[in-house]
Amino acid sequence: GQQLNQSPQSMFIQEGEDVSMNCTSSSIFNTWLWYKQEPGEGPVLLIALYKAGELTSNGRLTAQFGITRKDSFLNISASIPSDVGIYFCAGQLLLASNYQLIWGAGTKLIIKP
Amino acid sequence: DSGVTQTPKHLITATGQRVTLRCSPRSGDLSVYWYQQSLDQGLQFLIQYYNGEERAKGNILERFSAQQFPDLHSELNLSSLELGDSALYFCASSGVPGRGVSTDTQYFGPGTRLTVL
């Protein structure tokens, strides 16, 4: 089936550091989404990307839709304690006349005190 | 607040039992999705309904079933529960009327934490 490879699996960083994570696939997607999940909560949409090459920012977050449409990255600049959580990428494609989301396994962000 | 509601928030039950989880989508959304998330795991897609009809199936066990009612709320039924079914169950909704069945953006509810003892 369709798969997304999300890396890294986890990150241990110091407050103030920049963070970068990415998702790759052998499939072509028409939309990329980045979600954040905090403990005990449902995932919340951070950024949506709709066009190849698109670069979109949301505060300290920046994400890009890869030119090949097979990958995307998310950067977080100057991390702060509230950035802790699990970040999921999701790619949308058309399968059997239905748009479906394929999910990455998540990147767990931990900020060292 | 995503606008998606789920009840109950917590559920504790015993092996072999049956439970029903309920989800109300955002106002106007026609699609409902169910996900399972085990401890420290990713999101496992279970099933999608669109306007009352099943649209896509993921890794849903035969012991599990779902339905979407005319008022668009959905229920996920889990039967013959096993210890391994303990997990967070999320419902998400999407779908702006007139835009077909594009999943576009899924908005998640707060989840139901199921504990099977």
Side-chain angles (χ1 to χ4, degrees):
Chain A
Q2 311 297 328
Q3 280 193 324
L4 280 184
N5 299 309
Q6 185 171 353
S7 64
Q9 188 175 17
S10 60
M11 302 183 74
F12 294 78
I13 63 167
Q14 300 275 10
E15 183 178 348
E17 284 184 26
D18 295 343
V19 171
S20 185
M21 60 192 77
N22 69 84
C23 282
T24 61
S25 176
S26 57
S27 300
I28 292 176
F29 294 99
N30 54 31
T31 299
W32 280 95
L33 305 171
W34 285 92
Y35 285 82
K36 178 189 177 187
Q37 184 182 25
E38 297 187 6
E41 304 290 329
V44 174
L45 181 68
L46 298 174
I47 292 179
L49 302 158
Y50 300 105
K51 288 170 57 175
E54 181 181 352
L55 185 71
T56 297
S57 293
N58 178 4
R60 293 176 297 104
L61 277 61
T62 302
Q64 184 158 31
F65 193 142
I67 288 291
T68 64
R69 294 169 61 194
K70 295 181 181 181
D71 62 332
S72 178
F73 71 75
L74 175 70
N75 289 337
I76 305 173
S77 62
S79 59
I80 59 177
S82 62
D83 290 334
V84 165
I86 303 176
Y87 293 79
F88 291 100
C89 64
Q92 182 197 55
L93 44 68
L94 189 60
L95 283 175
S97 303
N98 187 44
Y99 285 98
Q100 293 188 28
L101 279 184
I102 309 300
W103 291 83
T107 295
K108 190 170 188 177
L109 182 61
I110 299 165
I111 297 183
K112 293 182 278 191
Chain B
D1 186 352
S2 66
V4 178
T5 60
Q6 288 186 248
T7 56
K9 190 161 179 62
H10 300 278
L11 197 49
I12 302 174
T13 188
T15 55
Q17 296 297 306
R18 172 190 168 95
V19 297
T20 297
L21 313 184
R22 183 188 167 100
C23 168
S24 292
R26 292 188 319 154
S27 178
D29 279 359
L30 301 178
S31 278
V32 169
Y33 311 79
W34 286 98
Y35 291 86
Q36 180 193 57
Q37 187 178 38
S38 300
L39 187 64
D40 288 338
Q41 298 294 314
L43 295 162
Q44 295 297 319
F45 169 66
L46 297 178
I47 197 164
Q48 175 199 359
Y49 277 80
Y50 175 78
N51 204 20
E53 293 189 3
E54 182 184 306
R55 292 294 301 194
K57 243 180 178 177
N59 300 321
I60 187 166
L61 299 172
E62 285 192 14
R63 299 184 286 109
F64 296 180
S65 64
Q67 53 184 331
Q68 186 179 28
F69 295 87
D71 67 352
L72 301 178
H73 91 270
S74 178
E75 291 181 354
L76 179 67
N77 300 298
L78 314 176
S79 61
S80 302
L81 285 168
E82 302 175 358
L83 296 178
D85 298 327
S86 295
L88 270 168
Y89 290 85
F90 289 105
C91 166
S93 75
S94 78
V96 177
R99 291 181 66 178
V101 297
S102 169
T103 60
D104 205 13
T105 302
Q106 291 184 22
Y107 294 89
F108 282 78
T112 293
R113 181 174 293 281
L114 174 66
T115 302
V116 182
L117 301 175

